[in-house]
Amino acid sequence: MSPHPRPARGTVAALHRTLTRTVRGTVDFSPGARALTTMDASNYRRVPLGVVDPHDSDDVAATLAACREHGVPLVPRGGGTSIAGQATGTGIVLDFTRHMNRLTDLDPDTRTARVQPGLVLDTLRAAAAPYGLTFGPDPSTHARCTLGGMIANNSCGAHSVAWGTTADNTESLDVLAADGTPHHLARGWDTAAPPGPSGTAPAPARTSPVPAGPRPIPDALRALVDTHLALLRTGYPTLPRRISGYALDALLPERGTDLARAWCGSEGTLGVLTEARVRLVEAPPARALAVLGYADESEAAEAAAGLLPFAPLTVEGMAADLVPDSTSLPRGGAWLFAETGGADPAEAAHHARLLAGAAGALDARVVTDPAAQRALWRVREDAAGTATRGPDGAEAWPGWEDVAVPPARLGPYLREFRALLAHHGLHGTPYGHFGEGCVHVRIGFDLLSAPGIAVFRRFSEELAHLVVAHGGSLSGEHGDGQARAELLPVMYGPELTALFARVKAVWDPDDLLNPGILVRPAALDENLRFSVLPREPVGVAFGYPHDGGDFSAAVRRCVGVAKCREPGGTHGTSVMCPSFRATGAEEHSTRGRARLLHEMLAGEVVTGGWRAPEVRDALDLCLSCKGCRSDCPVGVDMATYKAEFLHHHYAGRLRPASHYALGRLPAWLRAAAPLARPLNAVARLRPLTSLALRLAGLTPERPLPALATRPLRAGEEGTPPPGAHPVLLWPDTFGRHLAPHIPRAARRVLADAGLHATTPAPWLAGAGVCCGLTYVSTGQLDAARKVMRRTLDAVDAVDAVDAVDAVDAVDAGRAVDAMDAGRAAGGVVGAGRGPNAGTGTGPGTRTTPNEASAPIPVLVLEPSCAAALRTDLPELLPDDPRAARLAARVRTFAQVLEEEAAPGWEPPRIAASVVGQTHCHQHAVLGDAAERRLRARAGLTGELSGGCCGLAGNFGFERGHYATSVACAEDQLLPAVRAAGSDAVVLADGYSCRTQLSHLSPRTGRHLAEVLADALPAPTS
């Protein structure tokens, strides 16, 4: 256990003054900064005193000196994705991701690179790729994990079967010991820094130079090795993935006395890394993927070792209960993903076919298309998050995330592991690096109750013995941390673990560096992050149906895998997280905001509850894009959490002016509609507009949108032609008052498809219908519910008319006449629709009037409004069954055409390329599969980009958001549009997306309905 009690307030203040005076980088002891680093991706939570973002190695030395002076511990931190608790601490957290994140040198001739500890792995890989090189180890978090964290944990990844662990690919390390002395670790006992590239001595540091002479740390280490040679030669199991404990056997003379290798995997307990030289490997020019199906994961595991003679690059395993949709996979209940390389695609595919032929699989598929391979790998890479929630919503947690056994023992081990789970009434989904005997699993521990925690301990103790019985390692990739260090004596015995403590004392005699980890570890059931959360559900407005109505359970979804921290510009169709991509700040990531909400509920660090300014400020730059709802592996829905927070934060208080101006936009636009022409003229007077924008809390950089002088009106769709199938066209606020040409264009296309789109008069009369989106996004949830209930009443009124007319029509045998009569009365008769309606089974799948009657589909052209009706409506009104019924009827433009169009209808052929962006809410909630199919049928080629346009409804109009809004657009949308040819069609179905383009680009964004309508033959009189 750590010898460092919580320091007195005076000590903390003195430490802060010392650090502020001596460190060039950022020193932050604020509640927000501390809250962001209380957790990593593990089950554990430790509250730090403050956070230092060092600018250089001198800052690291200054921080170490301050911590020594005041007796305060220190923990280095990279991406914060450690799974065993080793990236948390109770003293100072050294965050290397802000400043010390550079690639200082890459030499393709020697195939080496010099890296700072905060460098993200994918940044190194991207720099090496033009030379045909890569860094071999590649954890699933490769887009956000750092080299410093990989070295500290000795990370591996999917390709370690070919290229080894991080230690296997590390040439030398520059580190600072706890006493501040610098050491250059490579082969041999000499730790003095070598000359610089030109043969000169290294540049002088700002801090005092280290005196020349004997260096006690290497001398003491050498003495320990010399007196324990037999123990080091016999005390370690032989297997490819042995990560647990200190790798002291690397110091044996027959192994080259590799200090760098021995230091890898020390989890920040021996020193602080300031720079590393790593080795690069040649990346095969082409790759293929053999996907092999087996009956279960034990059969897959037993087959994995037999694939190794084929020299695969990877052999990854996963079972069916981790795959949401296995239709693209070969037949089986578990799969191996075996990647092969080659000089060209044909050679890579040949190797994959040879391997598949000898794999003994039930079924196999060789995938050569790079895009298809990436899609399959994404399923595997998201597994650490996906496995955290079962299909039934049950929670599962790390703790035994990366056990490794000899590959030949993996099948028997998994069978006994499953039996042990069943014995304790637990569930888990194994997956991982089967080719190296390494198993990842999230287990359904109850970490909220005392009996559940007791089961966690008993299971952990028994599993440790099972692993050792199979000749395995408690950790095969992610390190021991707090999760398993207590159990190291089971694996290594008392003599070797005592030697670990003596080595720790050589490097860190005062136990300043990450105390409680590896040596004198905290108990595996201490510091659990859930213990501080409320035991009773918190009163909330949303229903949180996937979390049992419990806001704490919703916040617990974030397990810290930090997919939201992936940098911008390289993510295809993904959206999450635009504000992090724009700022690079943890507090503006989905994970950071979830951490702040967690600490708000805990009330220890963030003490203001719903009024906490730290949470408000972090949520301020959340665009409510909903990208995390679909892109986060565990489905964190920060847009909903933000609305919930704002609802409580401003309860009974004056809101920001923009909430009144934009949150109540539907009411303002209805009132302004009769005065559209004079108001548009006034809006062109810049002094008046500037004053109005300032009073409304809006940014001065944007013009006010022009009001439509001919807004959408009831009855303008005219009388339906005989036989046309009805569709209810939702009058969203934007299409009604700002862009009515969109619904009019949609009507033309729908009519060409044999459909009649009508907007019932009650939906446009007075306040009409509204999805409530603007109220939700500004946290005015009481008003949102009022608007939604009024909307449901209006929908009910129309449905009631339809039902009566439909019965009369059937009784009279005059269905077509009844449709005309219903529309004349302001309603729309309910066309019969079969049980498969709404499934999107293909073009021309509409049903006949003689089939069982079902509600008419509701076409919503604005994606954000459609998403609000699909999700916000039923989640804000969970007790009103009408909400779920309306949500189920909502369709997008392409979905309606696919499900309801006349048999044989085809869209007009356009034969053009497209560019633009899928609306965030469509991506997250509605999906765009139907839109892709419709574009393909129309001859529109090309892919739309991911990311967020940055305007995001009210966000980009609010004061203080303009720079972030533009940065979001520059992530993917604007570069894609600028790179497109002049004849490309710029698609943007969302009003916000089109508006952002009009403000920042000379190109005009268009709704797909407009594009198709313009390609139709001109109407005849």
Side-chain angles (χ1 to χ4, degrees):
M1 296 298 296
S2 171
H4 303 285
R6 198 78 174 172
R9 182 175 300 178
T11 300
V12 175
L15 173 65
H16 184 261
R17 287 193 299 270
T18 302
L19 290 169
T20 303
R21 185 179 68 252
T22 59
V23 170
R24 291 171 58 201
T26 308
V27 176
D28 195 343
F29 279 40
S30 68
R34 296 166 60 214
L36 290 169
T37 53
T38 57
M39 293 170 275
D40 49 17
S42 72
N43 298 327
Y44 300 100
R45 172 183 177 270
R46 295 193 290 178
V47 179
L49 300 176
V51 180
V52 173
D53 302 326
H55 189 271
D56 51 25
S57 60
D58 286 339
D59 273 358
V60 176
T63 304
L64 278 166
C67 288
R68 285 196 308 274
E69 177 186 350
H70 297 285
V72 169
L74 177 147
V75 57
R77 181 178 171 107
T81 55
S82 294
I83 296 179
Q86 60 267 54
T88 67
T90 58
I92 295 299
V93 171
L94 270 177
D95 184 348
F96 287 99
T97 60
R98 184 70 61 90
H99 302 302
M100 292 184 69
N101 55 11
R102 291 181 290 278
L103 171 63
T104 59
D105 177 61
L106 193 153
D107 187 341
D109 294 327
T110 62
R111 295 184 180 178
T112 60
R114 288 196 70 85
V115 301
Q116 291 184 324
L119 180 71
V120 170
L121 172 58
D122 270 5
T123 305
L124 171 61
R125 299 205 304 176
Y131 304 103
L133 303 174
T134 191
F135 187 66
D138 58 340
S140 61
T141 55
H142 53 83
R144 61 267 191 196
C145 70
T146 65
L147 270 297
M150 293 179 66
I151 291 166
N153 294 339
N154 195 9
S155 300
C156 304
H159 289 87
S160 66
V161 69
W163 296 322
T165 70
T166 298
D168 294 323
N169 292 272
T170 298
E171 186 166 291
S172 65
L173 303 174
D174 292 323
V175 304
L176 294 176
D179 64 2
T181 57
H183 296 269
H184 179 78
L185 308 182
R187 286 185 176 267
W189 291 110
D190 184 5
T191 65
S198 62
T200 60
R206 293 196 320 269
T207 52
S208 301
V210 178
R215 304 176 73 80
I217 288 179
D219 292 344
L221 288 176
R222 186 171 191 172
L224 285 174
V225 170
D226 288 346
T227 55
H228 293 84
L229 290 174
L231 177 63
L232 295 180
R233 286 170 175 146
T234 61
Y236 289 91
T238 301
L239 71 163
R241 284 292 192 96
R242 190 208 75 217
I243 305 300
S244 285
Y246 294 143
L248 302 182
D249 54 335
L251 300 179
L252 288 167
E254 63 267 29
R255 298 193 179 182
T257 312
D258 194 339
L259 280 167
R261 186 182 188 90
W263 204 89
C264 287
S266 57
E267 302 183 25
T269 63
L270 300 182
V272 181
L273 176 72
T274 59
E275 195 169 75
R277 181 174 289 279
V278 297
R279 289 186 285 270
L280 304 174
V281 298
E282 185 175 357
R287 304 187 190 200
L289 184 64
V291 185
L292 313 169
Y294 297 89
D296 56 39
E297 84 254 2
S298 291
E299 285 194 15
E302 289 176 336
L307 305 182
L308 299 182
F310 292 89
L313 301 176
T314 65
V315 182
E316 298 289 288
M318 56 196 306
D321 42 6
L322 196 62
V323 182
D325 180 7
S326 62
T327 54
S328 63
L329 298 175
R331 179 170 49 93
W335 297 270
L336 292 179
F337 288 15
E339 187 180 68
T340 58
D344 54 46
E347 183 181 5
H350 174 67
H351 291 161
R353 284 192 289 270
L354 285 177
L355 182 149
L362 291 175
D363 195 7
R365 176 186 168 203
V366 173
V367 182
T368 57
D369 176 61
Q373 291 182 53
R374 286 194 298 271
L376 289 167
W377 279 123
R378 276 196 295 272
V379 175
R380 165 63 186 87
E381 290 173 357
D382 286 349
T386 306
T388 303
R389 290 282 171 135
D392 58 353
E395 296 173 308
W397 306 108
W400 284 96
E401 185 63 25
D402 59 329
V403 159
V405 298
R409 298 293 306 158
L410 184 57
Y413 166 76
L414 282 176
R415 278 189 285 273
E416 292 188 56
F417 171 75
R418 285 282 195 182
L420 187 63
L421 284 175
H423 174 72
H424 288 280
L426 299 169
H427 67 273
T429 305
Y431 64 99
H433 314 294
F434 283 15
E436 293 208 289
C438 183
V439 178
H440 296 316
V441 64
R442 296 285 165 113
I443 299 174
F445 298 119
D446 168 15
L447 299 178
L448 300 175
S449 71
I453 294 170
V455 170
F456 170 55
R457 168 166 283 282
R458 288 196 301 273
F459 175 85
S460 297
E461 292 168 346
E462 292 175 26
L463 182 58
H465 287 279
L466 175 62
V467 171
V468 172
H470 282 274
S473 175
L474 304 184
S475 172
E477 179 164 24
H478 297 300
D480 300 302
Q482 185 180 339
R484 291 175 291 272
E486 178 190 347
L487 301 169
L488 285 175
V490 176
M491 177 178 173
Y492 287 124
E495 189 177 0
L496 191 51
T497 50
L499 183 59
F500 292 166
R502 295 179 67 182
V503 169
K504 164 77 167 172
V506 168
W507 282 98
D508 180 25
D510 297 322
D511 210 13
L512 288 174
L513 298 174
N514 214 0
I517 301 299
L518 284 183
V519 171
R520 292 178 293 280
L524 61 86
D525 50 4
E526 289 182 39
N527 305 321
L528 293 173
R529 66 185 179 97
F530 316 103
S531 62
V532 296
L533 293 176
R535 285 294 177 262
E536 298 297 326
V538 177
V540 287
F542 282 96
Y544 301 101
H546 305 296
D547 299 290
D550 186 352
F551 184 68
S552 295
V555 171
R556 285 201 305 270
R557 279 182 173 269
C558 179
V559 293
V561 296
K563 189 179 180 184
C564 51
R565 281 182 56 95
E566 294 182 0
T570 59
H571 299 278
T573 61
S574 69
V575 171
M576 180 183 71
C577 173
S579 56
F580 177 80
R581 296 184 191 184
T583 66
E586 173 76 7
E587 63 267 30
H588 298 307
S589 69
T590 305
R591 180 180 74 172
R593 293 175 177 123
R595 294 298 189 241
L596 286 163
L597 287 167
H598 184 110
E599 294 302 329
M600 179 196 81
L601 293 171
E604 178 185 350
V605 181
V606 176
T607 58
W610 292 110
R611 298 289 171 92
E614 299 86 1
V615 183
R616 178 201 62 208
D617 294 345
L619 288 170
D620 180 56
L621 289 190
C622 172
L623 285 81
S624 298
C625 68
K626 289 187 178 289
C628 48
R629 185 177 178 117
S630 61
D631 294 346
C632 173
V634 291
V636 169
D637 185 0
M638 194 53 62
T640 296
Y641 306 168
K642 176 180 180 178
E644 185 76 64
F645 176 84
L646 293 177
H647 169 69
H648 295 280
H649 186 77
Y650 290 110
R653 297 201 292 174
L654 192 66
R655 289 174 165 271
S658 62
H659 286 199
Y660 300 106
L662 298 176
R664 302 178 184 182
L665 185 65
W668 299 129
L669 290 179
R670 284 196 307 271
L675 305 171
R677 291 185 188 278
L679 286 175
N680 287 340
V682 170
R684 290 191 288 269
L685 301 175
R686 194 61 190 172
L688 287 177
T689 302
S690 298
L691 176 62
L693 291 171
R694 186 164 62 252
L695 293 175
L698 307 183
T699 185
E701 291 90 349
R702 295 191 186 275
L704 288 171
L707 300 171
T709 56
R710 192 167 69 90
L712 204 62
R713 305 286 188 192
E716 65 178 63
E717 63 271 15
T719 302
H725 274 220
V727 174
L728 293 174
L729 179 60
W730 187 267
D732 67 83
T733 293
F734 307 104
R736 180 178 178 184
H737 295 293
L738 299 174
H741 62 286
I742 303 291
R744 289 172 182 138
R747 282 201 185 109
R748 284 195 61 206
V749 178
L750 294 167
D752 185 69
L755 304 171
H756 182 70
T758 186
T759 304
W763 289 14
L764 290 164
V769 294
C770 178
C771 67
L773 170 67
T774 58
Y775 299 93
V776 171
S777 62
T778 53
Q780 302 180 72
L781 300 185
D782 290 334
R785 284 185 289 216
K786 181 178 179 181
V787 166
M788 290 173 174
R789 290 191 182 99
R790 185 189 70 217
T791 292
L792 292 175
D793 291 341
V795 171
D796 273 358
V798 171
D799 286 346
V801 173
D802 291 347
V804 171
D805 289 345
V807 170
D808 290 345
V810 172
D811 287 347
R814 293 178 284 106
V816 172
D817 292 342
M819 281 189 273
D820 291 338
R823 292 190 190 94
V828 182
V829 74
R833 304 174 68 239
N836 296 320
T839 59
T841 54
T845 58
R846 74 196 212 168
T847 57
T848 67
N850 292 327
E851 292 182 70
S853 179
I856 302 172
V858 176
L859 166 59
V860 186
L861 293 166
E862 172 58 42
S864 58
C865 297
L869 291 169
R870 279 273 185 93
T871 59
D872 296 331
L873 173 66
E875 290 173 16
L876 267 178
L877 300 177
D879 297 325
D880 191 332
R882 300 178 302 168
R885 288 199 297 268
L886 177 56
R889 296 171 63 181
V890 169
R891 297 290 185 274
T892 68
F893 176 66
Q895 287 168 349
V896 162
L897 287 172
E898 189 168 87
E899 296 169 11
E900 304 294 333
W905 177 82
E906 287 295 329
R909 292 289 295 179
I910 299 171
S913 61
V914 298
V915 69
Q917 195 165 50
T918 301
H919 192 285
C920 306
H921 289 189
Q922 174 132 20
H923 168 85
V925 175
L926 308 163
D928 67 343
E931 280 69 22
R932 288 171 176 270
R933 290 189 289 267
L934 179 58
R935 293 199 302 266
R937 290 167 63 196
L940 294 169
T941 60
E943 291 292 323
L944 302 186
S945 68
C948 177
C949 75
L951 191 63
N954 56 294
F955 177 85
F957 274 100
E958 292 176 327
R959 186 183 298 133
H961 292 171
Y962 182 75
T964 302
S965 174
V966 173
C968 291
E970 287 289 359
D971 176 41
Q972 294 195 60
L973 175 61
L974 293 180
V977 171
R978 283 194 290 264
S982 58
D983 56 347
V985 177
V986 182
L987 285 179
D989 283 359
Y991 178 79
S992 290
C993 308
R994 295 192 299 274
T995 302
Q996 182 79 310
L997 282 167
S998 72
H999 291 175
L1000 304 178
S1001 169
R1003 305 290 292 271
T1004 300
R1006 310 181 72 205
H1007 196 290
L1008 181 58
E1010 290 182 87
V1011 176
L1012 295 181
D1014 286 352
L1016 291 172
T1020 57
S1021 56

